Amino acid sequence: MKRRRRTEILINGSQKRVEDMAHCIKDKYQVKVIQEPESGLIMLKVRETSQKSLFYPGEVLVTECKVQIQGTIGIGIVTGDQPELSYHLAVIDAAYEAMLPETIEWELLLENEEKVIQEQRAAANDSILKTKVNFETMDV
């Protein structure tokens, strides 16, 4: 599983699961914090569709953390002020980069979590579509 997909699942899924995964690694391995969770601003990049040019509408507050496990660095970056989540994401990322044996078990957990997220999004979309008005069928 690629880093981007894994991170999206972890951010959008159960925070308890993220915490449990990080504690599983912290209990068995030495985790060295390279950069404590700290807030920062990054430029938000958007592609304008008609001219296909990039522009920057503003900045986004993020929390970033870096840790090291067995000589491998992991990074956790999340929007908003979420120092614990960024730390947990960094630990999980370092575990994957170090190819620790615990990560093999997580693949199935993450795939199941992704299915739950997709079901929740589908349910939310269905509830929104119920209120959609079809103007073509309205008499004027």
Side-chain angles (χ1 to χ4, degrees):
M1 181 177 294
K2 294 194 177 190
R3 177 186 272 174
R4 180 183 176 120
R5 179 178 168 205
R6 180 179 70 233
T7 304
E8 286 180 11
I9 294 169
L10 291 170
I11 290 172
N12 295 319
S14 168
Q15 299 302 311
K16 177 72 172 136
R17 177 157 294 144
V18 174
E19 189 176 318
D20 291 343
M21 291 167 71
H23 283 297
C24 173
I25 297 299
K26 291 191 312 186
D27 293 343
K28 295 180 183 177
Y29 302 94
Q30 180 184 3
V31 177
K32 178 182 176 187
V33 178
I34 295 174
Q35 177 185 343
E36 291 285 335
E38 60 183 42
S39 298
L41 295 172
I42 61 169
M43 293 297 292
L44 179 64
K45 185 176 8 178
V46 178
R47 183 168 301 279
E48 195 271 321
T49 55
S50 63
Q51 296 182 354
K52 297 188 179 12
S53 62
L54 292 176
F55 69 98
Y56 301 91
E59 297 175 324
V60 176
L61 175 69
V62 297
T63 306
E64 180 180 7
C65 180
K66 292 180 186 171
V67 300
Q68 184 176 19
I69 300 173
Q70 294 184 345
T72 306
I73 295 176
I75 300 172
I77 302 174
V78 292
T79 58
D81 185 26
Q82 303 181 65
E84 289 180 14
L85 180 58
S86 68
Y87 173 73
H88 294 311
L89 289 174
V91 170
I92 293 169
D93 185 52
Y96 268 97
E97 293 297 312
M99 292 185 262
L100 301 179
E102 289 80 3
T103 60
I104 296 168
E105 302 168 9
W106 292 348
E107 291 296 317
L108 183 61
L109 287 173
L110 291 175
E111 288 173 2
N112 290 337
E113 188 72 24
E114 185 177 37
K115 289 176 186 173
V116 170
I117 293 168
Q118 289 171 348
E119 290 170 1
Q120 290 172 345
R121 286 183 179 165
N125 284 340
D126 289 344
S127 67
I128 291 170
L129 290 176
K130 287 179 184 177
T131 63
K132 184 178 177 181
V133 177
N134 186 351
F135 289 99
E136 293 176 4
T137 60
M138 292 180 65
D139 291 329
V140 180

